[in-house]
Amino acid sequence: MQRTPRATGIGSLPGTDVGAAHRLVFDELPDLPFLPELPARGVGADMAGRGTALLVDFYAEVQPSGWRLADRPGRDARRAAAFLRQDLDSLEENAQDFTGTLKVQAVGPWTLAATLELRHGDRMLSDLGAVRELAESLTEGLKLHLAEIRKRAPRAGQVLLQLDEPALPGALSGTVPTASGFGRLRAVDEPVARELLAKVIQAVHATATDAAAAPVAVHCCASDVPIDLLRTAGADYVSFDATAAGAALDTESPRDEHLGEAIESGTGLMLGVVPALEPPRAPGVNQLLDKVLSLTRLGFSPKQLAEAITITPTCGLAGATPPWARQALVLARRTADALADKAS
């Protein structure tokens, strides 16, 4: 699949003004805007809260230790659903004439399982049977969500779903803490993790129409992002912090083989090269472009890299100042433009 270098954001933005957030992403990211998430609004607007709002026949509420399964929807569930409706209403106002690809985000099954607690207080990740049921519920909710997005943005060429999986490396390595914090949950076998994630991705792919594909990106900003697992699970894009210690682009590492295999297989890379938090000195476009072009050491030409790569901030921008959030998106877009020029 041929791609043009482009830029997008990871998902979250600072502040509580939904309309301003939508105007920002559609103004600064015309090639790949995203549905903004504003966790500063409070409980229910956070990643886990948004995830619970998408579940079908599963409910959750906030306890002192965090989100926990509940028998029926309560105040927290209603708040999460209200925030989601507010975001979709604003999207509808801003996306009526948009004809390109629109990106939306949702927490992935492994991260949601590592965050949600069972009714008796243990994390869902401790019970693989419960994790599978959760994934099925999330899958059904994602299909309904994508159908609603398509109604709200009727002219969008396609909707790209990004699954956020920051907790997946911890689940694989057995470092996710128990609910008490005194122990660690048993590691999830890689084939099990891949199979469950693949089922979710396949279900999303199956929502494609004759007119539009239904691509899936998986984002993980941990330093040990499992690129090969995500690629073989069927992700169309792997999104990661390219500046993290274990994933830095400008140093040779064992990860190079997985990066090369991803590019060769046609899997897109969403490279997080723009700092999510304002640094003492803002990087220039050429500095960011050099990081991207360091991948030519793998034997790929600038043109091949340009066809595979989307430029992003390193992670969500919820912790950034509003001026830096805007500048980060502008830097991502300008770096994508520079990459396109380099490839031409």
Side-chain angles (χ1 to χ4, degrees):
M1 178 167 54
Q2 295 293 310
R3 302 180 176 96
T4 301
R6 53 189 179 179
T8 192
I10 298 304
S12 64
L13 290 173
T16 60
D17 189 331
V18 177
H22 277 82
R23 290 190 294 273
L24 172 64
V25 298
F26 277 93
D27 286 346
E28 302 298 348
L29 301 170
D31 294 324
L32 188 54
F34 60 94
L35 178 66
E37 299 169 353
L38 303 176
R41 290 178 292 179
V43 171
D46 55 299
M47 181 175 66
R50 172 60 51 89
T52 63
L54 297 174
L55 296 175
V56 174
D57 296 331
F58 269 69
Y59 311 107
E61 61 187 6
V62 176
Q63 297 292 327
S65 57
W67 285 91
R68 181 178 294 180
L69 291 185
D71 294 326
R72 59 185 63 85
R75 179 182 61 183
D76 299 324
R78 289 192 292 271
R79 278 173 57 89
F83 283 138
L84 179 55
R85 285 194 302 271
Q86 184 182 26
D87 292 345
L88 293 177
D89 288 344
S90 186
L91 173 69
E92 188 171 9
E93 293 176 7
N94 288 274
Q96 285 300 302
D97 297 323
F98 180 70
T99 58
T101 298
L102 173 67
K103 183 171 77 70
V104 299
Q105 307 78 224
V107 62
W110 289 109
T111 295
L112 192 57
T115 304
L116 277 179
E117 295 178 1
L118 296 163
R119 290 175 178 83
H120 58 74
D122 230 340
R123 295 190 191 276
M124 292 195 76
L125 191 60
S126 65
D127 183 339
L128 283 180
V131 174
R132 291 189 174 95
E133 291 179 1
L134 177 71
E136 291 174 1
S137 172
L138 178 63
T139 299
E140 292 305 308
L142 288 173
K143 291 191 289 188
L144 294 171
H145 183 52
L146 291 173
E148 182 66 18
I149 293 288
R150 293 178 181 118
K151 290 180 182 178
R152 302 287 190 129
R155 300 185 63 194
Q158 62 183 10
V159 178
L160 188 162
L161 172 67
Q162 174 186 301
L163 294 173
D164 292 321
E165 284 286 13
L168 179 57
L172 293 170
S173 62
T175 58
V176 176
T178 58
S180 68
F182 294 114
R184 295 291 182 269
L185 297 178
R186 182 177 180 180
V188 176
D189 292 335
E190 187 171 310
V192 174
R194 180 187 296 107
E195 179 186 11
L196 185 139
L197 192 57
K199 287 183 178 179
V200 178
I201 293 172
Q202 289 165 6
V204 174
H205 284 164
T207 67
T209 66
D210 292 339
V216 178
V218 182
H219 170 72
C220 178
C221 52
S223 62
D224 50 351
V225 53
I227 293 173
D228 193 57
L229 184 155
L230 302 180
R231 176 184 68 83
T232 54
D236 301 285
Y237 298 84
V238 176
S239 171
F240 62 99
D241 177 356
T243 68
L249 295 183
D250 49 4
T251 57
E252 294 186 10
S253 72
R255 194 173 305 278
D256 282 359
E257 181 179 352
H258 293 160
L259 286 170
E261 289 173 348
I263 295 172
E264 286 181 347
S265 69
T267 302
L269 299 179
M270 292 186 171
L271 299 185
V273 295
V274 182
L277 299 177
E278 185 172 4
R281 176 179 292 182
V285 169
N286 289 337
Q287 182 181 351
L288 297 172
L289 181 62
D290 285 344
K291 284 186 174 293
V292 177
L293 293 177
S294 69
L295 287 177
T296 56
R297 71 176 184 275
L298 303 181
F300 298 101
S301 68
K303 181 178 180 181
Q304 288 173 306
L305 294 179
E307 291 174 349
I309 286 172
T310 298
I311 306 297
T312 75
T314 55
C315 206
L317 297 171
T321 62
W324 178 253
R326 178 179 294 275
Q327 187 173 351
L329 298 184
V330 170
L331 281 171
R333 174 171 51 81
R334 290 178 178 172
T335 302
D337 290 342
L339 179 58
D341 290 342
K342 190 74 174 179
S344 60

